[in-house]
Amino acid sequence: ETIQLAPDVAPAGPVARDTQKIQRAIDAANAAGGGVVELTRGTYVTGTLFLRSNVELRLAEGAILRGSSQLADYPECRPEFRSNTDRQVTRSLLYAEKQENVAITGRGQIDFNGGAAVFQTGQNNDPLRPFGIRVVSCRKILVRDVTLMNSAQWLQHYLNCDDVTLSGLTVYNHVNKNNDGIDID
């Protein structure tokens, strides 16, 4: 089943106005045994989204998922699997832990908004700067065809995962310090 969403109509700004709607759709698809959450053309402003098993987050062409510029929209996530990066970063825009069959696909783009003033701290490994995508202890992860850009810290971090497929991505990450395009641990 595919759940199609459109962005909320509101003035442009830093408010994470689409987080709850998208998260509810992801959770509903997961509860139904799996499905696709498709973001149609438009700009969606969100804080942290928790990816779930058997759910594909699909960004249609012309869809932009933009990270909020409000630090409060990024809750701290401390994974059970401990690593050195836990001391550096505890926040991310897209987060998954102990999930399986998770996908991020489509011809749209994810702008993590790492150039926002709140994230320009001038410090390496600042815990107030979120990762873009952080996936921990997961299996069967697919990230395909999307454009990923402008993370406040590392753009993609796959930690203790099995069967990760990354294909057809466009990655541009030069708006801050520690702007790795991909880290696989």
Side-chain angles (χ1 to χ4, degrees):
E1 181 178 333
T2 298
I3 301 169
Q4 284 191 324
L5 300 176
D8 286 341
V9 178
V15 178
R17 62 184 186 266
D18 295 297
T19 308
Q20 291 180 356
K21 173 176 58 180
I22 297 170
Q23 190 64 61
R24 279 193 302 266
I26 290 170
D27 293 343
N30 171 259
V36 176
V37 174
E38 182 176 28
L39 305 184
T40 60
R41 180 176 293 277
T43 300
Y44 303 78
V45 180
T46 74
T48 300
L49 294 172
F50 296 90
L51 305 176
R52 306 287 187 218
S53 290
N54 304 311
V55 178
E56 174 185 345
L57 179 61
R58 182 184 302 153
L59 286 82
E61 189 168 351
I64 301 169
L65 180 67
R66 179 167 294 136
S68 168
S69 62
Q70 304 297 309
L71 187 60
D73 292 329
Y74 299 88
E76 289 191 62
C77 300
R78 297 187 185 276
E80 184 178 309
F81 185 87
R82 307 309 295 166
S83 74
N84 182 52
T85 55
D86 299 337
R87 292 180 291 148
Q88 301 165 0
V89 179
T90 58
R91 304 167 197 271
S92 60
L93 182 64
L94 300 176
Y95 183 81
E97 182 177 3
K98 293 183 176 180
Q99 302 298 309
E100 188 169 327
N101 297 317
V102 173
I104 303 168
T105 67
R107 297 283 179 195
Q109 65 178 233
I110 303 174
D111 179 351
F112 296 96
N113 200 17
V118 68
F119 304 129
Q120 297 299 316
T121 65
Q123 298 179 30
N124 285 333
N125 299 320
D126 186 333
L128 300 182
R129 292 182 12 232
F131 283 155
I133 299 170
R134 189 160 197 217
V135 179
V136 182
S137 300
C138 293
R139 297 187 69 243
K140 297 182 181 175
I141 304 300
L142 171 66
V143 184
R144 183 182 64 221
D145 296 333
V146 295
T147 296
L148 305 172
M149 56 194 287
N150 302 330
S151 181
Q153 189 86 256
W154 294 358
L155 188 90
Q156 302 172 78
H157 185 215
Y158 303 94
L159 173 65
N160 191 41
C161 294
D162 290 322
D163 196 5
V164 176
T165 301
L166 308 170
S167 175
L169 301 177
T170 299
V171 174
Y172 185 84
N173 203 36
H174 299 279
V175 297
N176 216 317
K177 295 179 178 284
N178 305 101
N179 272 168
D180 300 25
I182 181 171
D183 289 276
I184 300 172
D185 290 331

